[in-house]
Amino acid sequence: GESVGLHLPTLSVQEGDNSIINCAYSNSASDYFIWYKQESGKGPQFIIDIRSNMDKRQGQRVTVLLNKTVKHLSLQIAATQPGDSAVYFCAEIRAPGTGFQKLVFGTGTRLLVSP
Amino acid sequence: GAVVSQHPSRVICKSGTSVKIECRSLDFQATTMFWYRQFPKKSLMLMATSNEGSKATYEQGVEKDKFLINHASLTLSTLTVTSAHPEDSSFYICSARDASGGYEQYFGPGTRLTVT
């Protein structure tokens, strides 16, 4: 079936390191992806998004890379800080622009940043 | 901007009772709101899509008579868990999409439901 999943359930890094969180998706028709950050006991927080007509998009300290050939998405966090510790989800918008849109979330990766 | 609130943030109820959770868009109008459920250390699972003034669309496997959704205004959607059982204990999260357009969903802080 169609799914959006993550390769690594937990990623531990040192403060200041760069972090890379990966995501694989199986629906080749998806053309919009979002990364969310979720802290314990809170709702997801939007980080960055990317459309399928792009292969890279940069934000503040974050970069999302999209490889449609292998259906792979990654989130890069530069100079990781303890405040970045959270669970990160990739999500896929199904049927964007048609009025019937829903988010399908991946399984999540926990990022642990030690000082 | 784009703030979504949920109330209550935590609720404990006894088996057999019903619990209502509110989701409000505070500074925008939302024609569509979404309800998710999240188990510990798991991902968010979409339960239903709620459109203002119409019946909610439930995902496969979600009992509509158990999880009643009402979206009576452009800023409020409610989820009522009827005849709650311990297995309904979970983290319930809503999101809202701005009526002015766009596909981004703004998430609420979640409601922790514990059924004893």
Side-chain angles (χ1 to χ4, degrees):
Chain A
E2 298 172 337
S3 66
V4 179
L6 293 173
H7 295 306
L8 298 173
T10 303
L11 177 64
S12 297
V13 301
Q14 295 285 324
E15 182 178 0
D17 287 350
N18 295 331
S19 302
I20 300 176
I21 300 172
N22 297 303
C23 178
Y25 65 96
S26 59
N27 186 353
S28 57
S30 297
D31 71 352
Y32 180 62
F33 304 88
I34 308 172
W35 281 99
Y36 287 95
K37 172 185 180 182
Q38 186 180 29
E39 297 176 317
S40 180
K42 298 183 179 180
Q45 176 187 356
F46 174 92
I47 300 174
I48 192 168
D49 58 2
I50 189 168
R51 285 194 174 276
S52 62
N53 61 355
M54 305 171 68
D55 53 19
K56 181 179 180 179
R57 190 163 188 224
Q58 288 185 294
Q60 187 178 14
R61 283 201 306 119
V62 294
T63 300
V64 55
L65 299 178
L66 175 62
N67 186 331
K68 295 181 289 295
T69 302
V70 295
K71 298 177 192 171
H72 184 268
L73 195 69
S74 69
L75 176 69
Q76 300 179 1
I77 304 174
T80 314
Q81 303 168 359
D84 295 327
S85 294
V87 177
Y88 290 80
F89 293 98
C90 64
E92 158 199 12
I93 286 269
R94 297 268 175 97
T98 64
F100 178 67
Q101 303 171 6
K102 63 178 183 180
L103 277 172
V104 177
F105 282 83
T107 54
T109 292
R110 179 173 298 280
L111 176 64
L112 299 174
V113 183
S114 51
Chain B
V3 178
V4 175
S5 70
Q6 283 184 239
H7 178 79
S9 57
R10 290 177 177 271
V11 58
I12 300 173
C13 70
K14 294 184 177 181
S15 288
T17 61
S18 295
V19 175
K20 179 183 287 188
I21 302 170
E22 294 184 348
C23 176
R24 294 182 185 271
S25 55
L26 299 184
D27 49 5
F28 66 99
Q29 293 185 325
T31 50
T32 305
M33 290 185 171
F34 304 84
W35 286 95
Y36 297 83
R37 182 174 182 177
Q38 187 177 31
F39 291 104
K41 299 183 181 181
K42 297 293 184 182
S43 188
L44 283 75
M45 181 182 70
L46 179 65
M47 299 174 66
T49 301
S50 168
N51 291 296
E52 187 265 337
S54 63
K55 291 183 179 180
T57 300
Y58 290 81
E59 294 299 300
Q60 188 174 7
V62 179
E63 298 176 59
K64 61 181 179 180
D65 294 329
K66 174 114 183 121
F67 299 99
L68 300 178
I69 292 172
N70 184 280
H71 192 162
S73 77
L74 287 173
T75 59
L76 173 65
S77 176
T78 61
L79 168 68
T80 301
V81 182
T82 63
S83 187
H85 290 113
E87 57 265 31
D88 298 326
S89 298
S90 191
F91 194 51
Y92 292 89
I93 306 171
C94 73
S95 69
R97 192 163 66 216
D98 196 324
S100 64
Y103 37 68
E104 186 172 346
Q105 293 181 25
Y106 303 98
F107 284 83
T111 296
R112 173 75 59 195
L113 170 63
T114 303
V115 185
T116 61

